[in-house]
Amino acid sequence: MTTHFRLIFTTCADVSEARSMAEQLVKLKLAACVNILPNVESVYMWQGEVAHATECKLLIKTKSEKMNEVIQTIKRLHSYEIPEIQVVDVATGNLAYFNWMDEVLN
């Protein structure tokens, strides 16, 4: 079973930015729910050097037809030059939760 839902991941520099972005996405009905995971340790290459940062990870729950608008909103609101944006197709799950998402996002 394939659903019409997507899980979008991004990271934010701090909790304030994460909360602001999450609230905007929910208020605009682009996301039914956004989970904020604080204090995610990231190790990555930036400008030829290994960098370390403590960030917040956002798990954004949305519908496939809202995905592009979510991506554009993340880019518009984000403080990073190149924000992480990864999209995962949701294959299956709790039908009652999906019904709630449909209700919230319509």
Side-chain angles (χ1 to χ4, degrees):
M1 172 186 164
T2 300
T3 71
H4 62 280
F5 298 101
R6 302 294 178 264
L7 181 59
I8 300 176
F9 295 93
T10 193
T11 50
C12 291
D14 55 40
V15 173
S16 176
E17 180 179 40
R19 283 184 182 145
S20 176
M21 189 176 302
E23 287 178 11
Q24 277 293 102
L25 290 167
V26 170
K27 189 182 296 185
L28 294 170
K29 292 192 172 209
L30 297 177
C33 175
V34 179
N35 298 117
I36 300 171
L37 307 177
N39 301 318
V40 174
E41 182 70 23
S42 297
V43 180
Y44 55 95
M45 291 297 293
W46 185 248
Q47 298 178 341
E49 301 287 330
V50 175
H52 297 258
T54 301
E55 302 176 294
C56 294
K57 177 72 85 176
L58 271 62
L59 284 68
I60 303 161
K61 289 94 172 236
T62 193
K63 296 167 88 170
S64 57
E65 61 263 24
K66 295 183 181 272
M67 179 184 64
N68 289 331
E69 196 172 350
V70 171
I71 290 170
Q72 292 309 311
T73 301
I74 291 170
K75 288 179 178 180
R76 180 174 50 81
L77 297 175
H78 218 290
S79 64
Y80 292 172
E81 182 180 338
I82 304 172
E84 169 199 1
I85 301 173
Q86 297 181 44
V87 179
V88 177
D89 292 341
V90 177
T92 190
N94 181 355
L95 183 59
Y97 187 81
F98 295 148
N99 289 337
W100 170 79
M101 285 181 64
D102 271 331
E103 181 181 313
V104 169
L105 294 173
N106 286 333

